[in-house]
Amino acid sequence: MSGGENIRRLLEATGIYRLTGRSPVDWEVDAYQAGLGQADAALEALEAELFLSSAPGERLERWELLLRPQASEASLEERRRALVQAFSAWNRPANLEAMQDLLAAAGVRGSLREEDGKLLVALEEYQGVTAQEAQRMLDRLLPAHLEWEIQAR
């Protein structure tokens, strides 16, 4: 419900006002509605920017710059997913499944397996980042005590 609609509902509920659409009170509520509409739109845009899952591309770029000097060129949805994974990376168990999720955060599409105590990333493609940037992010995200390697298919 918009702010103007809410004001109309409250005024009509008092029984004092008859809002016909042509009264001076209606005109005043219409003026309030114009101002409240702009404020509502600004608040909606701000709320969208606050959360990674709904942030627009320009805001995602600022979030990405917190992690790496290169903003991703992947799709908006892939960028959102990668950032969510990156910012939740340090609050996870260090198992293979959790580390698989970190690939997206580094801009890597592929699969992860363990072989002879080493993590092997079977690369399908880089998602909007260079190979060097993906390696740098994996260095930051994967547990430091594990040796790992990216293998192109």
Side-chain angles (χ1 to χ4, degrees), residues 8-19:
R8 284 182 198 286
R9 185 181 59 79
L10 292 171
L11 290 176
E12 288 176 345
T14 67
I16 299 172
Y17 299 96
R18 284 212 172 123
L19 301 175

Side-chain angles (χ1 to χ4, degrees), residues 20-78:
T20 62
R22 291 178 282 179
S23 72
V25 174
D26 283 303
W27 303 333
E28 192 170 341
V29 171
D30 290 342
Y32 292 149
Q33 174 59 41
L36 290 172
Q38 291 175 352
D40 284 342
L43 287 172
E44 276 184 40
L46 176 63
E47 186 178 353
E49 288 187 7
L50 288 176
F51 302 99
L52 290 172
S53 58
S54 60
E58 307 83 52
R59 180 60 62 190
L60 287 180
E61 189 171 318
R62 294 178 121 188
W63 283 102
E64 288 168 331
L65 292 175
L66 294 173
L67 297 171
R68 57 180 176 242
Q70 177 195 7
S72 176
E73 296 173 5
S75 72
L76 197 59
E77 205 50 46
E78 288 173 342

Side-chain angles (χ1 to χ4, degrees), residues 51-121:
F51 302 99
L52 290 172
S53 58
S54 60
E58 307 83 52
R59 180 60 62 190
L60 287 180
E61 189 171 318
R62 294 178 121 188
W63 283 102
E64 288 168 331
L65 292 175
L66 294 173
L67 297 171
R68 57 180 176 242
Q70 177 195 7
S72 176
E73 296 173 5
S75 72
L76 197 59
E77 205 50 46
E78 288 173 342
R79 291 171 66 194
R80 287 178 178 149
R81 189 178 70 245
L83 284 169
V84 167
Q85 295 296 335
F87 283 109
S88 64
W90 295 276
N91 198 16
R92 300 168 163 241
N95 60 33
L96 198 58
E97 182 181 332
M99 287 186 274
Q100 174 69 42
D101 291 340
L102 296 178
L103 294 181
V108 174
R109 181 177 294 158
S111 60
L112 188 65
R113 71 180 194 283
E114 186 177 358
E115 190 175 294
D116 297 326
K118 184 177 187 177
L119 293 176
L120 300 176
V121 179

